[in-house]
Amino acid sequence: MLQRQLTGGRIRARRLDLGVRQVDLAARAGISPSYLNLIEHDRRSIAGKLLNDLARVLDVDPAGLVGGVADVLLADLAAAAAQTPSEAEGDRIEEFASRFPGWAGLIIAQATEVAALRARVRALGDRLTHDPGLAAALHAVISAVTSIRATAGILVGADLVDADWQRRFHHNIHGDAQRLTDSSQALIQYLEAPGDAAVAPLDPLDAALRALGAAGWHLPLLEKGTTVAVQLAAMGDPGGAFGQVLSELLADYRSDALAMPLGRLLAAGARLCWEPAALAADLGVGLAAMLRRLATLPTGPGLPVCGLVVIDGAGALRFQRPVAGVALPNTGACPLWPVFQALVAPLLPMRRDVVMPGGQRFRVFAVTETCGPASFDASPLIRATMLLVADPDLGTETAPPLPVGPGCRVCPRADCTARREPSILSGASPTASAAFTFP
C-alpha cells in the first residue's frame, strides 16, 4: 500500500512542478479529471498503458513514477486483494510476491479477468437500464399485456356482460394480442441484435435527434452563420415530418450560435471554468440558452462533455442529447430528475449532483423559461432545460448526490419513494405514497 501512495504522490508532484492543471493532464492522458484525482490521492492503482501515457505526458520514465517493476507487482496485488473482501495478510504481500512471483502473477491475471467480466456485466446492465430504444420496446410489451389483462378481467368477472359488449371486448383482446405479438418480435430482434445495430426511429423527433447525433451534435456550417437550408442540404435534405422537426431544431441551434459565437464562448469558458450562470451573464444571454449552447460544443481537451434534455410543460420530451450512455425514455422517465422539478419552480435555477443506479455521476443544471410572446388571453408556454455534465469534479459538491434513474420500469432501486409502477428488473413495487392501482 505504501508504494501506491508514493506513485500517486509522484504523479501529482510532477504535474505541479510542470504547472499543468489536473483537467489538462487528464485530457491529454485520455481519462476523466475525477479518475486522475483518485489516482493522485492513491485511491486507484495504475499500471500498463495508462501509466505509460501519464509518464509520456509528464516527460518522465514510467519506472520513475512507480519505483520499479517489483513495486508495480505489489501495487497490482494490493489492487487485486481490494477487489473482493478477504482476509489476505496485507502486511505480508511483499514476502508473498518475492517468494512466489509466479503465483502472484496468476492472482493478478485472474483479478484482471474478473474485473473485465464485471465491466462486461455492468455494460450489459447499462444497456438494459439506459437504452431508450430498449425501454420503448419493453414499454410496448408491458402496455399490451396490461390491456389484455384488464379486458380479460372484465370478461371473467362476476357481472354479466351483454353480447354486444362481449364482441367489443373480444375485438379489443384480438387487437391487443396482435400488438403484443408485434412488440414482442421487435423486442426479440432488438435483444438479438448487436449493441451497435441500427434500430428504426420511434418518431420524427427521434429521427431528427439521431441525425444530429450522427453529425456529432456540433455543426460547423451553422457555426459559420450559414442558413438552415444549407445545413439541411448537407444532411440529405430530408422531407416530411422528419425534415420539419429537424429544421426546427437547426433553427434553434443557429439562433443560439449567432447569439453566442463559438470563439467568444470558448474564450469565456476558459476564463470562467465553464460555469453556466457566469457564462450567461458574461455573454448577455438567458440561462436556458446557455445550457443549450454548451451541449453543442465540439470535443477537445479542456472542454466539458455535456448532455441535454428539454421538456415541455406537460413533461413531454422535446430534445435530448444522451451523455455517457444515459438517456431518458420518451415516456415514464424518472420524476426525480431536476428538469421535472424545475417545472414547479420556474423562477429558480437549479444545480445538483445526481447519481445513477450504476454509480455514474453528473452535475446537473436546470431552468424553466417561457416560450413565445406574453399574452393576457392565453396560457404561457413553458419549457424546462437540463444540462448534464459528465465526469464532473465532485470535490466541490455541497450535498450528497441525488439518486435518480431512467424510469420506474427499468430502475433497480427498490427503496425509491417516488416509484409509481413495478420494476421489471428488481420486482420492486410502488411505495404506499406513490402507488397506483393496476388492473
Side-chain angles (χ1 to χ4, degrees), residues 76-299:
D76 288 344
L77 273 176
Q83 285 186 15
T84 304
S86 65
E87 298 181 358
E89 297 83 353
D91 57 338
R92 303 186 64 183
I93 187 172
E94 187 171 358
E95 176 187 354
F96 173 77
S98 61
R99 293 183 60 187
F100 308 104
W103 283 105
L106 176 61
I107 291 173
I108 293 171
Q110 289 179 336
T112 302
E113 183 176 358
V114 169
L117 291 174
R118 287 175 175 171
R120 176 63 175 165
V121 171
R122 285 195 300 269
L124 292 174
D126 285 343
R127 185 184 178 196
L128 179 62
T129 304
H130 302 137
D131 194 317
L134 180 56
L138 287 171
H139 185 274
V141 171
I142 296 173
S143 297
V145 171
T146 302
S147 180
I148 292 174
R149 180 183 175 187
T151 307
I154 296 174
L155 290 175
V156 301
D159 297 333
L160 295 177
V161 180
D162 62 49
D164 183 53
W165 278 103
Q166 285 187 15
R167 285 193 298 272
R168 295 185 183 184
F169 285 140
H170 289 156
H171 177 75
N172 290 343
I173 289 179
H174 174 74
D176 289 334
Q178 183 61 50
R179 186 160 57 93
L180 176 60
T181 299
D182 295 340
S183 56
S184 298
Q185 290 176 348
L187 177 60
I188 291 173
Q189 293 175 357
Y190 188 93
L191 291 175
E192 290 180 346
D196 57 354
V199 181
L202 301 175
D203 50 38
L205 175 60
D206 186 34
L209 293 178
R210 292 190 188 196
L212 292 176
W217 304 100
H218 178 74
L219 306 176
L221 286 178
L222 292 184
E223 297 288 348
K224 296 176 182 178
T226 56
T227 64
V228 170
V230 172
Q231 181 65 57
L232 275 175
M235 301 175 75
D237 203 8
F242 167 29
Q244 180 179 353
V245 172
L246 180 58
S247 178
E248 294 172 355
L249 297 180
L250 294 178
D252 289 341
Y253 186 119
R254 185 175 185 272
S255 176
D256 290 339
L258 291 176
M260 295 165 276
L262 184 60
R264 287 184 58 196
L265 178 62
L266 294 177
R271 187 175 71 255
L272 300 173
C273 299
W274 298 105
E275 172 61 33
L279 285 171
D282 187 79
L283 273 68
V285 298
L287 188 53
M290 178 54 65
L291 298 185
R292 293 193 304 267
R293 187 67 171 124
L294 291 177
T296 65
L297 287 173
T299 57

Side-chain angles (χ1 to χ4, degrees), residues 374-422:
S375 173
F376 290 107
D377 302 319
S379 298
L381 299 177
I382 61 174
R383 185 173 296 178
T385 302
M386 178 174 71
L387 185 78
L388 298 85
V389 182
D391 290 328
D393 180 7
L394 297 182
T396 58
E397 60 183 338
T398 57
L402 173 68
V404 296
C408 292
R409 288 185 173 177
V410 289
C411 182
R413 297 190 192 278
D415 57 348
C416 179
T417 57
R419 179 172 294 284
R420 59 185 181 271
E421 54 185 325

